[in-house]
Amino acid sequence: MSLTSLKEAPRARPITIAHRGASAYLPEHSLAAKAMAHAMGADFLEQDLVATADDRLVVLHDIHIDRVTDVGVRFPDRQRNDGRFYARDFTLAELQSLALTERLDADGVAVFPARFPAGPSALRIPSLEDELQLIQGMNRATGRTAGIYPELKKPAWHREEGVDIAAILLKVLAEFNYPQHREQVWVQCFDLNENIRLRSVLKCNYNQVQLIGDDSWGESDTRYEALLAPGGLQSLNGIVEGIGPWIAQLYQIGGDDQPPLPTSLIEEARAMRLAIHPYTLRADALPAGFSSFDSALKWLTQHGISGIFTDFPDRAVSWFDSNGFAPANWGSTHTEQ
């Protein structure tokens, strides 16, 4: 028997998804954060999508813009009755006149104080087209392809506002030739009805992911507790290729000095051949029960995830590189499994 045959075979490598870009280091969803994530070796770059007053898609995590821009200074009288400023009430040109900041809480304090300075920066809100042009340019220039991972934010709310963001997304993806490169796209949404609509009405032919939140968050009318119940994932059969659970939904805290115990969600998803892409692994806000970024990533990988959303794509890529994982091969087939 040769020495080579005695070596452990390389393990399948989960994909690294840059959560809002390299958002641990630069303001979330800025083009700079995406460029940094690409340089760090992320497999996919995430785009949260909301609509402007002129029906353009911009890359922002929320329908509100007051926690990540200087809109209150620039347009102090444009808030709605709830006191919030909405992207939908501004044209693309107006939004791109705003300065991006690190994310602030309701009191104006940085959510992650050790990250990029909280004051206004020279960075601006990108349109979806801006970002796709950047990513495709970086792919061409470097010879390394990073895929995209767009999320439809509150699509039902947007339709009440008079705009179909799912239809716009598919149109823009076609303009950038993604139908010929479907393996480079995962489309995610918290709204199960929108995932059904994407598949059955809009004939989406990209990989789709059902995000799983908590019913108290108000993300959509979807009942996440029903999805998390035994057998609940069966309702996704034929609709999506993957799930995006909150990391805390994958385990229960063990007893004293005991490792976290997996819930049944991973086993059920794997039995259905669904990709499992949990969110969000952060070195500066670790999941409960884990002492380090590496220990959390090790546990998640040992328990069968096929991808991870992280603000620290460099640390995930480095850990996979150092722990015997085969080079990424996510582009070899349409679905990842």
Side-chain angles (χ1 to χ4, degrees):
M1 183 179 294
S2 70
L3 180 62
T4 301
S5 65
L6 291 173
K7 293 180 179 179
E8 181 181 353
R11 292 175 287 172
R13 187 189 191 102
I15 60 172
T16 297
I17 307 156
H19 182 249
R20 311 180 203 173
S23 54
Y25 307 105
L26 286 160
E28 64 182 52
H29 284 318
S30 63
L31 291 183
K34 302 303 169 64
M36 189 173 194
H38 193 288
M40 288 173 166
D43 298 302
F44 284 81
L45 310 179
E46 183 190 35
Q47 301 79 36
D48 293 314
L49 300 175
V50 301
T52 69
D54 43 352
D55 292 349
R56 298 287 297 278
L57 295 184
V58 288
V59 185
L60 283 167
H61 181 259
D62 306 307
I63 58 176
H64 311 109
I65 56 177
D66 40 273
R67 304 279 170 84
V68 291
T69 74
D70 61 348
V71 65
V73 175
R74 295 292 310 284
F75 298 100
D77 301 322
R78 297 278 289 275
Q79 68 265 48
R80 294 195 182 186
N81 291 335
D82 60 3
R84 302 300 302 273
F85 294 81
Y86 287 72
R88 180 64 176 159
D89 296 335
F90 296 81
T91 66
L92 176 61
E94 288 174 327
L95 288 175
Q96 294 193 322
S97 73
L98 302 175
L100 281 174
T101 70
E102 187 61 43
R103 176 166 290 275
L104 308 177
D105 64 17
D107 296 319
V109 177
V111 174
F112 299 99
R115 295 190 181 184
F116 196 88
S121 70
L123 303 170
R124 297 294 183 262
I125 296 170
S127 68
L128 176 58
E129 292 89 345
D130 292 336
E131 181 148 326
L132 297 183
Q133 183 181 54
L134 175 72
I135 293 170
Q136 291 189 349
M138 290 188 296
N139 288 348
R140 180 181 177 88
T142 65
R144 190 190 73 82
T145 297
I148 62 171
Y149 212 119
E151 179 185 345
L152 298 169
K153 303 297 291 190
K154 295 190 177 295
W157 178 88
H158 274 98
R159 283 198 298 279
E160 291 176 355
E161 292 280 320
V163 61
D164 185 346
I165 60 173
I168 297 174
L169 168 62
L170 295 180
K171 179 176 180 292
V172 173
L173 293 181
E175 291 170 353
F176 279 80
N177 205 36
Y178 279 104
Q180 283 68 52
H181 302 280
R182 293 178 298 150
E183 76 283 352
Q184 296 180 20
V185 182
W186 287 83
V187 179
Q188 57 178 330
C189 192
F190 276 102
D191 189 330
L192 176 54
N193 287 330
E194 192 69 9
N195 268 322
I196 294 171
R197 179 174 173 267
L198 269 169
R199 186 67 77 206
S200 61
V201 178
L202 298 180
K203 306 302 181 184
C204 177
N205 201 26
Y206 301 107
N207 287 312
Q208 290 180 217
V209 168
Q210 176 62 50
L211 295 172
I212 304 176
D214 188 278
D215 288 342
S216 66
W217 296 351
E219 286 287 346
S220 73
D221 291 335
T222 303
R223 293 295 306 278
Y224 304 114
E225 285 301 318
L227 291 177
L228 294 169
L233 295 184
Q234 292 299 322
S235 63
L236 304 180
N237 194 31
I239 300 169
V240 298
E241 285 72 37
I243 58 170
W246 183 30
I247 289 176
Q249 294 167 333
L250 298 179
Y251 68 92
Q252 296 174 333
I253 301 296
D256 292 341
D257 298 322
Q258 296 297 313
L261 303 173
T263 64
S264 63
L265 189 63
I266 292 177
E267 181 179 353
E268 291 187 18
R270 288 177 64 84
M272 294 178 62
R273 298 186 63 79
L274 293 173
I276 307 163
H277 299 167
Y279 63 91
T280 304
L281 186 56
R282 298 180 171 103
D284 51 0
L286 291 169
F290 294 99
S291 61
S292 69
F293 183 97
D294 288 359
S295 66
L297 189 54
K298 179 179 179 179
W299 188 96
L300 290 165
T301 303
Q302 287 177 334
H303 286 85
I305 66 164
S306 42
I308 185 68
F309 282 87
T310 179
D311 294 7
F312 296 81
D314 56 331
R315 296 189 60 164
V317 169
S318 177
W319 190 87
F320 290 132
D321 285 344
S322 301
N323 283 275
F325 287 87
N329 192 33
W330 53 266
S332 61
T333 58
H334 176 41
T335 58
E336 187 187 338
Q337 298 295 304

